[in-house]
Structure formats: structure tokens, C-alpha cells
Amino acid sequence: MAAWLPSARRRLRDLEVRPSVQHIGLVERVGDGVATISGLPLTRLDEMLLFEDGTPGLAVHVGESTVNCVLLGSGEGIVAGSRVHGTAEVFRVPVGEGLLGRVLDSTGQPLDDGPPIKAERHDPVDRPAPAIVDRDPVTRPLMTGLTVIDSMIPLGRGQRELIIGDRKTGKTAIAVDAIINQRASDLICIYAAVGQKTSAVSQVIEAVREYGAPERCIFVVGGADAPPGAQWITPYSACTMAEYFRDKGRDVLLVIDDLTHHAIIYRQLSLLLRRPPGREAYPGDVFYIHARLLERAANLSSDLGGSITALPIAETQAGNLTAYIPTNLISITDGQIYLEPKLFYEGQKPAVNVGMSVSRVGGQTQAPAIKRLAERLKLDYAQFLELEVFTRFGTMVDERTKARIEHGRRIRAILAQPEYRPLSVAEQVGLLLAVGERKLDDLPLDRVERFKAGLRDRLHESCPRACVHVDETGDISEPEQSDFLAAIDALLTELAPGQGAGG
Ligand SMILES: Nc1ncnc2c1ncn2[C@@H]1O[C@H](COP(=O)(O)OP(=O)(O)O)[C@@H](O)[C@H]1O
Ligand SMILES: [Mg+2]
């Protein structure tokens, strides 16, 4: 009957009582995703705090008697007087292979219906960028599969290229196509959504699941409905997840959609925390936080790891590239892809303004065949764009000018591309070859679409080995080029106006 007594005694004997220190503070004020806490004098900057309802927070301002904290969860259970623990730890997110194929929030919790995340370990969200000596120059290409970018604004692995433009000009579409094109490569793709609508994010995920290689992608979502703190740390969490793979020697493509919303969320939090506003009411360190983030994208020297290529996105208002955040981001990155609403509404998609876009480091990585063919094209296209402005006024033009304009129109038609249909190197080379050799100049403009649609299959049918070789090496030999041109000629004959293919 008293059998419990010895067992209880035993358990009491085994129990080890040690003193432990717990820092417990009290919430003074809470609201709008931030909280002020008193009674935590030992808190350090960027320390993670834990509220009694389990919500994590980040200490972003440490004062003499109070700590200001950004909530990383909804914090619905937090009231004035709630208890808060200091953790003496920075905020960490799960990293590892187990994240691949998953949709996560910015704290690393799954948002899909999958099982709990199997993490390799937990890494701090804020980490220093690689040192100068640990970096290599950008030397390997990153193909987006979009002819206009791969031929005119080529990207390299480890580059940071800004995609910038007004709302609804196809910024996300370019990033998504770049991700989809990696189904043919070994890159890991991470898409970080900051302040995006849930419908937009789910469209991205659906597209990648349908056309890309989702098993090599991670989606980190701090959507418009997420708490501001959670939106704010999204790019940092995504970058930490990318760094895990980079350190394993993998190449990662990190899309941050978008940093304008990130800056706005940061401004909101800063104003709520009563930090002094600067230009356009952004806090003084908004440049620094973006620079620090994007510096983490780099090409590591090969003995240390792989690379992170960052494609941050920025949204402009009425095409104003000289606003505060856009100019900041342009100066931080290695170039920008500028999307123009006018081109978009005219139906030129992707609506890349080639003249105002630049890639400052990718040129040296460009596939040799594309590089050779694109050189002339760029020049011809730039001249055409200038000429076109004049001929809009209906001026009489001579035959040579007319020919140049017709040629330019065909270059423009080649640079247009539907969504979710990235092209391989061989297919791009085929297109550039056709237009560069002026094969299309006699084809009616309305049939160029049909030529583009038919070329892919034609090349793969007529010269399959050459296609594989061009895809692998990025270069094209003399005989291969002849084969390509023969295939192009054959296709053009079928499409020629007299051939009854016009119906
Ligand atoms: N190359 C393209 N071809 C056809 N439609 C496109 C293309 N690029 C974008 N779109 C369409 O344009 C719309 C806006 O694109 P989106 O990428 O969401 O713009 P943003 O991210 O700049 O707001 C979407 O409906 C998308 O389907
Ligand atoms: Mg978008």
C-alpha cells in the first residue's frame, strides 16, 4: 500500500536541484507588431525574447529601463503585464535539405500541409557577409532562359541583379522564369515573398510546381497578412537558408520579392518604435540594412563553397527610378533589369528596357555563342529604337533606313517571350542566328511568332546532337552553325507567304 513512498523517495533523491537564472520582464505596451518591455536590463541588441504565449520577438532597441521589441508572431495572446523571457540567443531558423520543396513562413514553420520540417540545424538569421578574401570573381553563367536577358543583360552566379519597374510590369514573372529555367541546372532556388498578396504568392508556387523543379526550391513567405516583424525578417531567413547550401558547395538563386515592401515594413516598424525618421520618413539605416543583406550574396572561392545569386525586386511609382529606395538598391547591386510599363502595354513582354538595363559583372560569363551573336544585335537594336522614334512622325525614309527598321522590328519580336517558356542555349542561339543573319527580314512580321514556335522542334529534329553540344558548351562550331542555318531555312520556306502556310 505504501509502495509509492520508497519510489517517491528514490525520485526525490535523484532529483538534482540547481540554481538557474531566468530573466523575466513585463510587457509595458504592445500593439501594431511591436512591444515595449521593462525589467530586462541584461538584454542585448538583436537578442531573441520569448513571450509567455510562445511568440518570439527581436530586441531592436535597448534602452536604460526598457527594451523595444519587434514581434515575429501575431502576438494575439500578449497583453500589458504579460511575462517575457530573455533567451541570451539570437533568432535562428531551421536549415537543411529537409527544407527543399517546402513552403515556409519566415520563422521556418511550414505553411504547406506537409510534415514538420526536418532541420539539419538552426542558424542565426543575421550573419556577416563573406570576407573579401573568401570570394572569387563571378565567372560562371546563370541562364534565365529569357533571350532578352541572356543575350543583352547576362547574369553570372554570385551576381546581384535588381529587377525594377512599376507594379504589374512582369517583375515577378522574370524571376519565376529564371527559377523555372533552373530545372535544367543544378541550382537551388529560394523565393522569398515580402509583403506580397497571398494570391500572387500561390501563383508563383503553382507555376514553379507545374513547370520547374520544385524539389529543388524553397518558398519563404512573409505575405501581406503576416505580422510586420515576420515580413521584415523574411529576406534574412531566406538568405540564411541559402547559405546552408552555399556552404555545401551548391549554387543558389535567391529571389527577394520585393525590397520596396521590405523597406516600407521597416519604416513602419521604425516609426512605431519612435526612431527618428529621415528622407521619405525611412529610418537612417535603411540603406545599410539592404546593403548588408545583399552583401551576403556572393561567389565564394571554390574551396569554401558555392555561390548565392540574388535577384532582389524593387517596385517603382510611375517609373521613378530616382526615388530613395530604388536609387539605394541600384547602387548596391551589380546592375538592374528595368521593366517599362509602356513596353508592357504595347505587348512587348518581357517589357525589358534594354537601354536602361545593365549587368555589370555577368558579361564575362556569357555563353560564347550568344555573346558573339548578341554583339551586333545590341547595336542594331539600339539604332532601331532611335530610328523608330523619328519614323513615328510619318517621315519619308529611304530604303536603307526602312530595312534597318524592319530588321529592328524582328529583333524586338525575337526578344519577346511568353511566360513559363524559358529557352535553352541552343534555342536562343537558333533565334539569334536567324535574326542576326537577316533570315527573318523578308518574313512578314506576323509570321515571326510562328517561326519562333516552330524553331524549337525543328532544331531538335534536324540537328539533335548539335543542340546537345551547344547546350553543354555554350558555343557553336562552324559545321553546327551550318546545320542550324539549314534547319532555319527549311522552316522559313514552309512559312514563306507563297507556301500556303498563311491560313
Ligand atoms: N512574358 C510575359 N508574357 C505574358 N504575360 C506576362 C509576361 N510577363 C508577365 N506577364 C503577366 O503580366 C502580369 C503582371 O506580371 P507580374 O510578374 O505579376 O508583375 P509584377 O511582379 O511586376 O507586379 C501577370 O498577369 C503576368 O501573367
Ligand atoms: Mg510581383
Side-chain angles (χ1 to χ4, degrees):
M1 201 173 82
W4 62 271
L5 198 59
S7 103
R9 281 210 178 106
R10 204 171 331 113
R11 259 193 282 166
L12 271 178
R13 204 173 48 236
D14 292 345
L15 197 70
E16 214 179 312
V17 185
R18 261 182 300 164
S20 76
V21 185
Q22 265 198 351
H23 299 290
I24 296 178
L26 295 177
V27 173
E28 283 203 345
R29 241 195 332 262
V30 61
D32 302 319
V34 297
T36 306
I37 297 149
S38 62
L40 282 179
L42 296 176
T43 305
R44 285 177 298 177
L45 205 59
D46 285 336
E47 180 176 333
M48 182 172 95
L49 306 176
L50 262 184
F51 290 81
E52 64 180 28
D53 71 340
T55 305
L58 271 188
V60 290
H61 177 259
V62 181
E64 242 172 83
S65 56
T66 57
V67 172
N68 284 336
C69 167
V70 167
L71 305 181
L72 300 181
S74 69
E76 271 157 11
I78 303 172
V79 294
S82 291
R83 304 208 305 172
V84 190
H85 293 259
T87 62
E89 256 290 348
V90 291
F91 188 66
R92 289 166 184 267
V93 286
V95 296
E97 306 279 336
L99 275 64
L100 292 174
R102 302 299 301 269
V103 184
L104 312 170
D105 70 10
S106 57
T107 64
Q109 294 307 308
L111 291 175
D112 49 17
D113 321 320
I117 301 293
K118 277 206 207 77
E120 208 82 27
R121 52 170 200 264
H122 288 72
D123 280 350
V125 288
D126 191 31
R127 300 172 80 195
I132 296 178
V133 289
D134 297 339
R135 297 168 183 237
D136 262 359
V138 173
T139 50
R140 294 164 300 142
L142 185 142
M143 302 299 291
T144 62
L146 294 165
T147 312
V148 62
I149 294 176
D150 291 343
S151 66
M152 305 218 171
I153 319 149
L155 307 182
R157 298 187 183 190
Q159 182 171 351
R160 299 152 313 158
E161 182 84 4
L162 183 69
I163 302 174
I164 186 165
D166 280 9
R167 58 182 295 277
K168 291 282 164 219
T169 49
K171 303 184 296 298
T172 304
I174 286 192
V176 169
D177 278 335
I179 291 176
I180 288 174
N181 195 44
Q182 305 317 319
R183 65 184 173 208
S185 79
D186 55 351
L187 260 83
I188 305 270
C189 300
I190 302 185
Y191 176 82
V194 186
Q196 302 294 311
K197 282 180 287 193
T198 313
S199 61
V201 178
S202 70
Q203 239 177 31
V204 169
I205 297 172
E206 281 315 308
V208 174
R209 284 195 176 145
E210 186 166 352
Y211 302 98
E215 70 284 356
R216 257 190 287 118
C217 294
I218 306 172
F219 303 94
V220 190
V221 184
D225 56 341
Q231 293 185 43
W232 170 53
I233 63 157
T234 302
Y236 305 100
S237 306
C239 199
T240 295
M241 294 169 188
E243 280 162 350
Y244 168 84
F245 294 103
R246 179 202 65 191
D247 293 341
K248 296 240 142 161
R250 302 289 300 265
D251 294 314
V252 187
L253 171 63
L254 173 64
V255 173
I256 306 171
D257 193 2
D258 64 73
L259 282 182
T260 323
H261 278 94
H262 186 249
I264 291 171
I265 282 287
Y266 187 57
R267 170 169 70 183
Q268 176 187 327
L269 289 170
S270 299
L271 291 173
L272 286 165
L273 294 171
R274 290 158 205 264
R275 298 172 64 187
R279 186 173 158 192
E280 292 183 22
Y282 287 103
D285 63 345
V286 69
F287 181 90
Y288 171 70
I289 64 157
H290 283 164
R292 189 175 153 85
L293 168 69
L294 292 174
E295 276 297 301
R296 290 166 70 180
N299 186 29
L300 287 193
S301 38
S302 48
D303 50 330
L304 289 175
S307 68
I308 297 179
T309 311
L311 289 183
I313 294 176
E315 190 173 291
T316 50
Q317 306 278 331
N320 185 8
L321 291 179
T322 55
Y324 186 32
I325 301 301
T327 40
N328 278 357
L329 291 171
I330 286 173
S331 69
I332 293 168
T333 45
D334 306 312
Q336 74 276 349
I337 295 170
Y338 174 51
L339 300 175
E340 199 170 43
K342 185 170 148 285
L343 292 173
F344 191 86
Y345 299 134
E346 284 170 3
Q348 180 67 17
K349 300 171 192 174
V352 177
N353 178 324
V354 177
M356 287 175 74
S357 301
V358 63
S359 168
R360 281 188 275 271
V361 296
Q364 63 231 23
T365 72
Q366 199 171 21
I370 297 186
K371 189 178 192 130
R372 227 170 22 243
L373 291 164
E375 221 155 320
R376 264 275 303 289
L377 214 65
K378 266 194 259 184
L379 205 64
D380 287 349
Y381 192 51
Q383 285 180 344
F384 155 70
L385 291 176
E386 241 166 65
L387 279 176
E388 199 192 26
V389 177
F390 288 111
T391 50
R392 285 244 172 88
F393 303 118
T395 4
M396 293 284 285
V397 290
D398 58 279
E399 284 302 314
R400 253 188 69 211
T401 313
K402 213 182 268 172
R404 272 179 165 177
I405 289 175
E406 287 306 314
H407 184 55
R409 292 203 168 121
R410 278 149 187 85
I411 299 178
R412 181 158 64 193
I414 289 298
L415 298 181
Q417 203 170 323
E419 278 181 289
Y420 315 139
R421 286 288 310 274
L423 299 176
S424 69
V425 180
E427 287 153 13
Q428 291 190 29
V429 167
L431 282 178
L432 296 176
L433 205 54
V435 71
E437 296 286 322
R438 301 190 174 250
K439 298 273 181 199
L440 305 182
D441 288 7
D442 296 327
L443 188 70
L445 199 55
D446 54 359
R447 291 198 186 180
V448 174
E449 265 327 299
R450 222 175 304 158
F451 171 79
K452 282 164 63 186
L455 184 66
R456 175 201 191 96
D457 287 344
R458 180 58 61 119
L459 286 179
H460 285 287
E461 270 165 32
S462 329
C463 26
R465 298 237 328 253
C467 283
V468 173
H469 184 245
V470 173
D471 279 340
E472 273 171 6
T473 61
D475 211 347
I476 187 162
S477 67
E478 206 62 56
E480 283 166 349
Q481 183 156 328
S482 314
D483 288 350
F484 268 43
L485 284 172
I488 289 166
D489 282 333
L491 181 59
L492 282 172
T493 321
E494 284 169 29
L495 290 175
Q499 293 302 308

